[in-house]
Amino acid sequence: MTTSRISDHAESAAPPSKTPGFVSVPDTPTSTSSSNGSKKFGSMHTSMVDSKFLSHPEELGVVAVGFSGGQCKPGVDAAPSALIESGLLTQLRDELGYKLHGDDTVHLYTDLVPKDDAPHRNMKKPRAVSAVTRRIADQVYSHAKEGRLVLTLGGDHSIAIGTIGGTAKAIRERFGGSREMAVIWVDAHADINTPETSDSGNIHGMPVSFLTGLARGDDEDLFGWLRADNLVNLKKLVYIGLRDVDAAEKRILRENGIKAFSMFDIDRHGIGRVMEMALGHIGSDTPIHLSFDVDALDPMWAPSTGTPVRGGLTLREGDYICECVHETGSLVAVDLVEVNPSLAPANDIGAHETVRAGCSLVRCALGESLL
């Protein structure tokens, strides 16, 4: 696997620390080695919420995914490094008390990208995306099967094929197949096109169709690796923040009775009531995977993303969604995707603000509180 090492130098806005990433500090008493050789950091876990489905809620498995192949704009692969260098993992360790499991690399997966990757069934780079998401599924599963919370830093939203696929498999195994995992998909876009309905052919607009079985792979190299235990039930899928949905996707949502809360619903009911309805639909006894595309936020708050759409969530509304999901005690995994620092003009603060917003969302999902 090809990887990219993270700089040891945090941005000036980050809290003072010598270790912004996964870097081991031998002389720090809170650093220990686990039996599998990974590093674990942290002291007292500060969350006041009792986890219903994690056997080690104080432990956090982090998968940093530097992959942009699900769409056509370069730069989103640099997001994990930007998030880590801003001090995110240091904050999770030192302020929230998580023990982090991982290493000091961002995975680039260049060893999995084939030389010949012609379009197939209208999908662009299908073999690369299939191979990378399969590897990601294994990485996420390796943490989730241990009963720890998993945080994935992307990358474009195609990586959710792997993150959700890996978590769903682990949940089924850990609970003997007796539980189905729910997915809360926070996004301006539904990302539920099938290969045949997509106008662009970009796979970051298709992950939900593959994860729910609406789209199926042709063979092992073209998403055929997805099995029943990687999939999620359409009745356990909830969208929040939709405002740019393709005509074919609207038809898919209607025909399958998928629960979706658009910005219209948030304007009408308020984010508090929308979260009550969303969580009520899922039920109180269901593990939750939260997949958060930063373009769910209005470009005022997160301008450096590949497909910004005006009229989105405020940062406070985004934080509230994450806080509510954490408060349930049902959260088992979080994705943060589509931060693209390269899209801001030179000397523009947009990239910095988007990274800051992403860090805030993650901290809220993992239990940051004023009390």
Side-chain angles (χ1 to χ4, degrees), residues 22-33:
F22 292 118
V23 183
S24 173
V25 188
D27 60 350
T28 302
T30 56
S31 174
T32 60
S33 294

Side-chain angles (χ1 to χ4, degrees), residues 133-146 150 152 159-174 181 211 225-227 229-232 289 332-333 335:
T133 53
R134 187 175 192 174
R135 177 77 61 80
I136 294 168
D138 290 340
Q139 291 174 298
V140 170
Y141 169 78
S142 70
H143 291 297
K145 71 183 179 64
E146 300 298 329
V150 187
T152 303
I159 71 170
I161 297 172
T163 64
I164 293 173
T167 313
K169 178 181 177 181
I171 289 296
R172 285 189 169 95
E173 288 186 4
R174 288 184 57 228
M181 187 181 76
L211 287 165
W225 60 267
L226 285 163
R227 303 290 190 262
D229 59 358
N230 299 120
L231 305 184
V232 295
H289 187 126
V332 295
D335 308 331

